[in-house]
Amino acid sequence: AFWQLPRSVRPASTLCNADYSFFVEGLTPAREDPKLQTGGRWLLAFSVGSPTSRSYVPEEHFAGLVDAVWQAALLALLGSRFEDSAEGGRRACGVAISLRGGRAAAAGEEEDIQAGPGLSAKLALWLRDADDKDRVMAVGRSFREALEAAVPDASRGPRCGWRLAFDCFQRRAVTMRL
């Protein structure tokens, strides 16, 4: 049953101007959720836009990258990669991907989103609690490792690598970077 999930979930690259999320039961993917107000999220953003942008991805690699990072994040979350062994708890509680720009595939075209100027994606790994900076950084490093393993060919990833930012909900600001 567990391994059927990735096959039964539509590829994230089929989205157009939409969000896709998977969260622990009882949580809402919103910083206003009372159970998440002391948490935050690790963010990875990338886009087709300008080749000089740090987050630039060549258009021909965009849909494949979207699917690879979504699947890697989903499997890492489900596989308990982000569990806190010291406390026995789960730090990460959800994953979301947002795609903006582009256009939906027309009838007869491939199912993937049709890339174009302004096409961008944002992948987020959500954490319940961000009080312990060292543990939050450890989750971020583990997240980056999962992304690097999913896309080992650096030329298919963002131009400047896997640059992650941590958005702390209590401070309403990016407080850490990897």
Side-chain angles (χ1 to χ4, degrees):
F2 170 78
W3 292 110
Q4 291 175 345
L5 179 66
R7 278 189 260 145
S8 63
V9 174
R10 289 189 56 145
S13 64
T14 62
L15 299 175
C16 184
N17 293 318
D19 301 335
Y20 211 5
S21 62
F22 184 88
F23 275 73
V24 170
E25 187 174 356
L27 296 179
T28 304
R31 67 176 61 226
E32 296 80 18
D33 185 322
K35 297 174 190 162
L36 295 174
Q37 288 182 345
T38 61
R41 58 190 177 162
W42 279 106
L43 300 168
L44 168 70
F46 53 96
S47 64
V48 169
S50 168
T52 59
S53 168
R54 290 188 305 215
S55 62
Y56 171 74
V57 173
E59 186 174 330
E60 63 271 16
H61 299 310
F62 188 83
L65 181 61
V66 165
D67 291 337
V69 298
W70 169 250
Q71 185 173 28
L74 185 60
L75 291 175
L77 179 68
L78 292 171
S80 303
R81 182 177 186 128
F82 309 114
E83 276 191 9
D84 189 340
S85 57
E87 293 179 9
R90 184 181 292 254
R91 285 231 171 251
C93 58
V95 64
I97 192 161
S98 302
L99 282 102
R100 299 292 181 261
R103 64 177 178 80
E109 290 183 329
E110 287 187 32
E111 211 174 70
D112 289 349
I113 50 177
Q114 302 300 303
L119 184 62
S120 65
K122 180 171 58 176
L123 179 69
L125 178 70
W126 290 61
L127 282 63
R128 289 181 198 252
D129 177 25
D131 291 337
D132 187 328
K133 180 180 177 180
D134 292 335
R135 289 187 175 146
V136 171
M137 288 296 283
V139 169
R141 283 189 293 275
S142 184
F143 185 37
R144 186 171 58 191
E145 289 168 7
L147 298 174
E148 289 170 344
V151 185
D153 181 356
S155 70
R156 294 186 178 274
R159 186 176 74 83
C160 286
W162 304 104
R163 299 173 58 102
L164 302 176
F166 186 74
D167 177 24
C168 179
F169 296 158
Q170 284 183 316
R171 294 189 182 163
R172 296 194 175 276
V174 170
T175 57
M176 293 177 251
R177 294 187 187 274
L178 281 174

